Amino acid sequence: MKRIAILGSTGSIGTQALEVIAAHPSNFEVSLLTAHNNADLLISQAILFSPNTVVISNEDYYLQVKDALAHLPIKVFAGSNAIEQCVGSDDIDIVLTAQVGFSGLRPTIAAIQSGKTIALANKETLVVAGDYISSLCVKHNVKIIPVDSEHSAIFQCLVGEYNSPIEKIVLTASGGPFRGKTRSELELVTKSQALKHPNWTMGAKITIDSASLMNKALEIIEAKWLFGLDANQIDVIVHPQSIIHSLVQFNDGSMKAQMGLPDMKLPIHYSFTYPERISTTFPRFDFLHYPQLTFELPDKVTFRSLAFAYYCLQEGGNMACIMNAANEEANAAFLNDKIKFLQIFDIVEGAMERATFIAKPTLNDYYESDAEARIWAKKLIK
Ligand code: NDP
Ligand code: MG
């Protein structure tokens, strides 16, 4: 029995994780659920899954959650600090980090410091502070199991290959809803078009990031830290069907790929069962439904995000932290109809040019850089 904490249980990854857990009651149980605003869903999840503890990080909803669960033996806390405090509890084996954005960093650090295995969905944690997180994992002997489908694919390809030198990895990208669009066509695209991802149903932030290819930019940096790679070992290929989830090429030229239908439940499930595989009833891939798997180069000129990611890897330091913060602001501004789609790239680039570069940041520097980059991004949004 693995005891699981889900940080962000009301989101796209969080709700799918609970489906995985519900399908395997003799393998998994829920110890901790956390949410930010969605008190109603958190309450119904708590009633269904009986965790020991729930945390609502927006304190405005504390009394609502506390009253609704008062008849049950469930501890209720509120506030972001409470997530950090609860994540180290003895009744937790695996922490699934499914909060969105920079908010995932502090609780992930607390979970690592408590020696918990991390099932990492919150890629922003590694983008912001990959070097700090990597050394913290070594210090506390903690394993990070990737949940992001591309990184789960690579992780699965590397099982049994621990001593095999990697020549490169290839991250696949669906291309998102705007694949093939020219710059002038992108001038006019709307929020509702950007939110229509062709293959995946996900939270709003990552869906916009997929449309701008910022998601792939974040994943390039995530891959660097997860697999200890240099920038020239990380390629991106557009694969519109999202069946091959990513590939590894070893130094003898052999390539391994992991395939399957685009369904996040599989990488979530694997992150819980690793190193074992446990049977599932997920729909199976059928080659005859996909007679053509196609591949094309990403349009790096129109979608400048990929260039930003490689620039971050080249510069190191806090550059990726700056990129991430500016992107979070630009993404939210686009979702709030404050900017046009193409401005996302200008705002991220503008913040990267203006925010203070720190070559060897401490953890505190990362917090400060995040705040500074958001100020620059907000100035550019106005
Ligand atoms: P959602 O927006 O669907 O869910 C986000 C979750 O985080 C919700 O539970 C939300 O709570 C909570 N949350 C939001 N803001 C805060 C905050 N400030 N403090 C604490 N909790 C907060 O996101 P996704 O599930 O799509 O994505 C979660 C993470 O997983 C992201 O980092 C994303 O990049 C990554 N990921 C997602 C994939 C997907 O398919 N969705 C695929 C690969 C990676 P509430 O709803 O209660 O407000
Ligand atoms: Mg992904």
Side-chain angles (χ1 to χ4, degrees):
M1 181 66 83
K2 288 184 177 168
R3 300 163 305 167
I4 298 173
I6 304 181
L7 310 186
S9 65
T10 48
S12 162
I13 293 288
T15 50
Q16 293 181 84
L18 286 172
E19 285 180 50
V20 167
I21 290 171
H24 296 273
S26 53
N27 299 100
F28 314 127
E29 71 182 21
V30 179
S31 301
L32 168 68
L33 295 176
T34 82
H36 190 52
N37 285 323
N38 197 341
D40 292 337
L41 183 55
L42 180 65
I43 290 164
S44 54
Q45 290 177 339
I47 291 168
L48 209 57
F49 288 90
S50 307
N52 295 332
T53 309
V54 301
V55 181
I56 183 94
S57 46
N58 184 339
E59 295 177 26
D60 295 347
Y61 298 106
Y62 173 66
L63 285 180
Q64 183 191 340
V65 179
K66 175 121 188 95
D67 289 351
L69 301 178
H71 62 294
L72 295 168
I74 300 176
K75 287 178 268 189
V76 179
F77 300 102
S80 304
N81 289 344
I83 302 181
E84 286 170 61
Q85 280 154 15
C86 294
V87 88
S89 171
D90 286 343
D91 59 2
I92 296 169
D93 301 312
I94 299 177
V95 175
L96 172 64
T97 69
Q99 289 183 208
V100 72
F102 185 83
S103 77
L105 178 61
R106 287 177 199 262
T108 307
I109 291 173
I112 296 170
Q113 284 168 335
S114 308
K116 308 300 180 193
T117 297
I118 307 293
L120 185 103
N122 181 258
K123 64 192 85 183
E124 293 92 340
T125 292
L126 284 180
V127 175
V128 171
D131 59 341
Y132 178 83
I133 295 289
S134 303
S135 23
L136 200 64
C137 285
V138 171
K139 183 173 167 196
H140 294 278
N141 195 21
V142 158
K143 193 148 193 69
I144 295 187
I145 323 278
V147 170
D148 213 348
S149 58
E150 297 78 357
H151 306 73
S152 173
I154 292 161
F155 186 83
Q156 293 182 53
C157 291
L158 291 176
V159 169
E161 299 277 7
Y162 300 111
N163 296 316
S164 310
I166 298 173
E167 197 164 276
K168 67 173 184 183
I169 63 163
V170 184
L171 298 174
T172 51
S174 70
F178 300 148
R179 180 174 65 89
K181 284 212 187 300
T182 61
R183 201 181 149 78
S184 63
E185 287 167 331
L186 289 176
E187 303 268 5
L188 302 172
V189 293
T190 61
K191 175 172 79 178
S192 63
Q193 287 173 296
L195 284 170
K196 279 198 196 95
H197 196 282
N199 303 341
W200 299 95
T201 308
M202 309 180 284
K205 192 256 177 187
I206 185 175
T207 306
I208 299 301
D209 283 348
S210 299
S212 63
L213 293 201
M214 240 8 250
N215 183 48
K216 212 49 56 180
L218 301 177
E219 290 182 356
I220 289 170
I221 299 167
E222 180 186 15
K224 178 213 159 61
W225 293 113
L226 281 172
F227 306 113
L229 301 170
D230 292 330
N232 61 11
Q233 292 176 288
I234 308 172
D235 279 356
V236 173
I237 192 90
V238 173
H239 166 46
Q241 298 81 20
S242 297
I243 293 300
I244 295 185
H245 296 309
S246 279
L247 309 93
V248 180
Q249 183 174 309
F250 296 97
N251 66 340
D252 60 358
S254 177
M255 288 190 114
K256 279 170 102 173
Q258 188 263 342
M259 305 170 64
L261 293 170
D263 181 352
M264 284 308 296
K265 286 201 279 298
L266 184 52
I268 294 168
H269 171 91
Y270 186 71
S271 76
F272 292 165
T273 66
Y274 172 83
E276 290 174 50
R277 290 194 185 269
I278 295 176
S279 90
T280 72
T281 56
F282 302 145
R284 270 33 177 177
F285 171 74
D286 181 343
F287 278 97
L288 300 184
H289 292 157
Y290 292 86
Q292 273 201 316
L293 297 181
T294 61
F295 304 91
E296 57 198 64
L297 286 176
D299 174 357
K300 291 185 188 164
V301 178
T302 309
F303 298 89
R304 281 142 63 207
S305 326
L306 299 184
F308 298 158
Y310 287 109
Y311 180 71
C312 287
L313 293 187
Q314 178 195 310
E315 295 298 296
N318 63 339
M319 193 54 83
C321 171
I322 295 168
M323 181 188 80
N324 179 71
N327 178 56
E328 287 189 22
E329 292 298 327
N331 182 308
F334 178 66
L335 278 170
N336 290 321
D337 299 313
K338 288 191 182 145
I339 57 168
K340 296 217 172 359
F341 183 73
L342 285 174
Q343 283 178 277
I344 295 174
F345 304 113
D346 301 335
I347 288 158
V348 172
E349 186 175 48
M352 287 167 75
E353 283 165 2
R354 289 167 176 80
T356 314
F357 177 70
I358 304 171
K360 293 204 180 310
T362 61
L363 178 59
N364 201 46
D365 290 332
Y366 284 126
Y367 295 136
E368 288 179 5
S369 295
D370 175 81
E372 188 200 346
R374 284 174 198 272
I375 292 171
W376 283 116
K378 280 180 185 150
K379 280 188 187 162
L380 293 162
I381 287 164
K382 273 188 186 147

